[in-house]
Amino acid sequence: MSIAFQLRIELRDFKPAIYRDVLVDPATPLPKLHKLIQAAMGWDDEHMHGFAVPLKNERYYRVQASRRFEKPSAVSWGERANNEARFKLQDIMAKPKDKLLYLYDFGDDWEHVITLKAVVDTELALPYLLKAQQGCPPEDCGGPPGAEYWASVWHDTSHPERDIALQMFGENEPGWLDFEALQKAVNKLQPKLRRVK
C-alpha cells in the first residue's frame, strides 16, 4: 500500500465540466505533475506552462510571483516565479480542498484548477487515471472563447468555416473522449519495474 493524493483536475470556463480524477504520489516533482496533466487531459505538450497557489478564486495571472512555479526562462516579465523543478506536489498541497492552478499555453490560457479531494491508501501503480469527463478542445483554437466558437461551427453543417472546424476536432464531436487512450498515456508515466536477475 502507498499513500496517494486524489486530485480533480478541471479545465476552467467550460460547461459541461472538462475534468480528470487522478491518483498521484504526493512526492511527485512539479515537472512530472505537468507530464501527468498533459497525459490525462490529452494535450500535446507544445506550449509553456506554470503552476500557482491561488487565494480563493484568484486567476493565474493575478497570483504573486512568490506563489507561482514555472520553468526558468531567459525571458521574464516582472518578478521571477519559483523554479518548479525545486518543488514537489506535497510541498504546496497537503489537505483536502487545497487548490493549485495549472496554466497551459500562455496565449490560449488553458487554466486548470487542481483540487486535492482526498489522501488515500492504494495498491494501484501511480499515477493512475480514475475518471474523465469530456475531451479537451483542440490546441491553438483561441482558448475557451475560441473553443466555444469552433464547436458551434462544427455543429453547423452550412457554416462557411466548417472545414476548418472539422480539421480541428476531426470527425468526432466536440467533447468526445477516448478514455482508454488517456489511461494508456497516464500508465506510461508509471515507474518501470526492474527485473531481478
Side-chain angles (χ1 to χ4, degrees), residues 20 29 37 40-41 48 81 90 93 97-98 112 126 143-144 190:
R20 309 291 181 259
I37 296 166
M41 297 302 289
M48 293 173 66
Q90 65 194 7
M93 295 185 105
K97 297 187 180 174
D98 280 357
H112 306 65
L126 300 176
Q190 296 169 355

Side-chain angles (χ1 to χ4, degrees), residues 36-53:
L36 168 59
I37 296 166
Q38 289 288 311
M41 297 302 289
W43 294 122
D44 295 331
D45 198 5
E46 294 179 350
H47 301 282
M48 293 173 66
H49 69 275
F51 294 94
V53 178

Side-chain angles (χ1 to χ4, degrees), residues 4-5 12 16 18-19 24-25 38-39 46 57 61 65 74 77 80 85 91 112 117 133 136-137 149 163 171 186 194:
F5 280 1
R12 216 169 197 167
I18 299 172
Y19 71 82
V24 61
D25 182 339
Q38 289 288 311
E46 294 179 350
N57 292 321
Y61 290 118
W77 298 276
R80 286 191 184 273
D91 296 333
H112 306 65
K117 303 297 272 183
Q133 178 176 287
C136 280
Y149 171 77
D163 285 349
E171 293 299 319
V186 169
R194 290 187 182 149

